[in-house]
């Protein structure tokens, strides 16, 4: 055999020997790196989210852990989201997380939302999702009463238990409620009571309730804050764990009334967004039990406020059977008419 051929064979043999002697730890790291990359399909990409609050960092951090997608937030009200999207003619983010349902319904009518039905949504009640996939709820907001026990005791009044109680003459001037044109929760209260009592009796009731309310506040937080401060005996509020905490600390009582208004907290994907695929993956993730537990913890939700079955939230005593059977199909379409009628009833009480 020629000398050059023997040399070549020798080099090849040496290379094979070195390859076989490679560090097993290095091989393991290489394999783990490859597996990790395949387990995080969106590594190096970004999900842009517009939300009413940035308090959901824990939820989105968990999504990043599982998918590799970085999440960036932009805090904005629902009204601003719609007006800016229309004005710019393009989606301002990939995902819209949280906000009043009427805004989502309006956005869908304007063709701003991607329709996506997550496979994880199959067990979610039809009341908590759009049948065509325009939106789905991350949970529901419920309304009730916050009562200042000291004020009631001072004035010799009983703790109200029902909506009809609030319309009794003895509570005149003792109740605070946010303007439903500003507060999504209190619009849900008005719409829910109309659904529960029927249009004729519902408006008759709201006229009676109006006699006991001196003014409608501009901020959604005012009823809770001003009831805590003793400026009012009763506040109509969104009920969650924070309400129970403030009640415990200030000798207040949280009341779930006989009929409980509620509203889904929407989540949707913007049509034509840059990372629609990641937004869809997030909806899938959001509907897992792990994610729902995080949402329940962050939002302070009772088990009955969680949209995915068989997920335990907090134990706040919310009676699910008292949730009003609401007609969400008209939640958005009737909003203008309802608010116009309510304004006529409230006259100059509603602060513009």
């Amino acid at each position: 055999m020629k000398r050059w051929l023997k040399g070549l064979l020798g080099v090849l043999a040496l290379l094979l020997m070195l390859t076989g002697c490679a560090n097993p730890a290095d091989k393991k790291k290489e394999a783990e790196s490859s597996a990790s990359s395949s387990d995080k399909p969106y590594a190096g990409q970004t999900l842009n989210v517009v939300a009413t609050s940035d308090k959901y960092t824990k939820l989105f951090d968990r999504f990043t852990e599982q998918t590799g997608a970085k999440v960036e937030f932009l805090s904005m009200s629902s009204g601003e989201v719609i007006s800016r999207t229309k004005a710019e003619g393009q989606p301002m983010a990939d995902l819209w997380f949280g906000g009043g349902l009427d805004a989502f319904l309006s956005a869908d009518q304007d063709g701003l939302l991607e329709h996506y039905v997550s496979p994880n949504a199959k067990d979610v009640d039809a009341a908590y999702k759009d049948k065509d996939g325009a939106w789905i709820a991350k949970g529901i907001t419920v309304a009730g009463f916050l009562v200042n026990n000291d004020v009631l005791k001072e004035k010799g009044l009983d703790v109200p238990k029902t909506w009809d109680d609030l319309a009794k003459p003895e509570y005149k001037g003792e109740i605070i409620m946010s303007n439903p044109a500003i507060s999504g929760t209190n619009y849900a209260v008005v719409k829910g009571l109309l659904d529960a009592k029927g249009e004729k009796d519902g408006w008759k009731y709201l006229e009676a309730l109006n006699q006991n309310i001196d003014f409608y506040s501009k901020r959604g937080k005012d009823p809770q804050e001003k009831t805590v401060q003793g400026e009012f005996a009763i506040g109509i509020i969104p009920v969650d764990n924070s309400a129970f905490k403030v009640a415990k600390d200030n000798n207040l009582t949280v009341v779930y009334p006989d009929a409980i208004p509620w509203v889904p907290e929407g989540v949707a994907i913007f049509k034509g967004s840059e990372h629609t695929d990641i937004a869809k993956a997030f909806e899938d993730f959001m509907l897992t039990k792990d994610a729902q537990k995080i949402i329940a913890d962050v939002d302070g939700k009772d088990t009955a406020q969680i949209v995915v079955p068989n997920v335990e939230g907090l134990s706040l005593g919310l009676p699910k059977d008292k949730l009003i059977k609401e007609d969400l199909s008209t939640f958005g379409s009737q909003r203008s008419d309802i608010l116009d009628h309510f304004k006529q009833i409230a006259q100059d009480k509603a602060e513009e």
Side-chain angles (χ1 to χ4, degrees):
M1 184 179 292
K2 294 183 178 181
R3 184 176 297 175
W4 67 267
L5 183 58
K6 288 182 179 180
L8 177 61
L9 291 174
V11 170
L12 290 174
L14 179 62
L15 289 173
L16 288 172
M17 182 176 67
L18 291 173
T19 302
C21 295
N23 190 335
D26 291 339
K27 288 185 176 181
K28 183 178 179 181
K29 287 181 180 179
E30 183 178 344
E32 287 177 348
S33 176
S34 176
S36 176
S37 177
S38 64
D39 288 345
K40 297 184 178 182
Y42 303 113
Q45 300 185 57
T46 300
L47 176 68
N48 292 299
V49 179
V50 60
T52 54
S53 170
D54 60 0
K55 68 180 181 179
Y56 299 97
T57 302
K58 181 179 179 181
L59 178 70
F60 284 98
D61 283 350
R62 185 66 58 85
F63 178 67
T64 299
E65 289 174 10
Q66 295 187 11
T67 67
K70 180 183 177 182
V71 178
E72 292 189 354
F73 284 97
L74 177 64
S75 295
M76 188 174 294
S77 71
S78 296
E80 289 176 307
V81 171
I82 294 178
S83 61
R84 181 168 164 180
T85 302
K86 287 182 179 179
E88 297 180 356
Q90 60 183 10
M92 62 191 319
D94 304 302
L95 184 77
W96 188 2
F97 187 79
L101 180 63
D102 53 309
F104 285 81
L105 297 174
S106 176
D108 186 43
Q109 289 178 351
D110 291 333
L112 303 179
L113 304 182
E114 177 81 14
H115 286 199
Y116 172 63
V117 178
S118 170
N120 294 340
K122 62 182 184 299
D123 295 327
V124 175
D125 191 291
Y128 304 147
K129 61 186 178 183
D130 176 68
K131 62 182 179 63
D132 298 319
W135 60 269
I136 191 163
K138 70 179 179 67
I140 66 171
T141 294
V142 300
F145 312 153
L146 184 65
V147 177
N148 189 307
N149 298 318
D150 293 333
V151 174
L152 288 184
K153 183 178 179 180
E154 178 185 337
K155 299 188 176 183
L157 298 173
D158 295 326
V159 173
K161 300 294 185 183
T162 69
W163 288 103
D164 287 346
D165 284 345
L166 289 193
K168 293 178 179 178
E170 54 261 40
Y171 294 108
K172 183 174 178 59
E174 301 296 341
I175 304 168
I176 181 171
M177 172 179 171
S178 293
N179 186 343
I182 296 172
S183 166
T185 299
N186 281 283
Y187 169 67
V189 167
V190 174
K191 178 65 167 65
L193 291 173
L194 290 172
D195 286 342
K197 294 177 176 291
E199 187 172 357
K200 182 178 179 180
D201 289 341
W203 283 118
K204 184 178 179 180
Y205 168 78
L206 289 169
E207 289 174 3
L209 177 63
N210 177 67
Q211 297 302 313
N212 288 346
I213 299 177
D214 287 343
F215 80 101
Y216 296 93
S217 65
K218 291 182 178 180
R219 299 190 313 145
K221 292 184 177 181
D222 281 344
Q224 177 166 309
E225 292 179 356
K226 291 182 180 297
T227 301
V228 170
Q229 294 164 2
E231 295 182 40
F232 293 88
I234 304 158
I236 297 174
I237 66 163
V239 177
D240 55 22
N241 194 43
S242 66
F244 282 92
K245 286 183 177 179
V246 78
K248 182 179 179 181
D249 294 340
N250 295 277
N251 190 29
L252 309 176
T253 298
V254 176
V255 176
Y256 290 120
D258 53 324
I260 302 175
W262 58 276
V263 62
E265 301 155 5
V267 174
I269 300 169
F270 287 105
K271 181 179 289 186
S273 65
E274 184 178 359
H275 298 296
T276 301
D277 54 341
I278 307 179
K280 290 179 179 179
F282 178 81
E283 280 201 11
D284 297 342
F285 159 78
M286 183 190 76
L287 297 172
T288 63
K289 291 186 176 182
D290 178 48
Q292 288 287 298
K293 282 183 175 293
I294 294 174
I295 291 173
D297 180 59
V298 173
D299 284 342
K301 291 190 180 303
D302 184 272
T303 298
Q305 292 174 269
I306 300 175
V307 299
V308 174
N310 304 315
V311 176
E312 288 190 12
L314 305 180
S315 298
L316 303 177
L318 174 61
K320 194 169 185 176
D321 60 329
K322 289 186 178 181
L323 294 178
I324 294 172
K325 296 186 184 302
E326 297 183 358
D327 181 5
L328 295 182
S329 67
T330 58
F331 195 91
S333 61
Q334 292 185 357
R335 186 176 187 273
S336 294
D337 291 339
I338 288 173
L339 292 178
D340 285 345
H341 193 159
F342 187 88
K343 186 176 180 180
Q344 291 176 7
I345 290 175
Q347 297 176 354
D348 61 343
K349 292 181 180 179
E351 295 185 355
E352 299 297 338

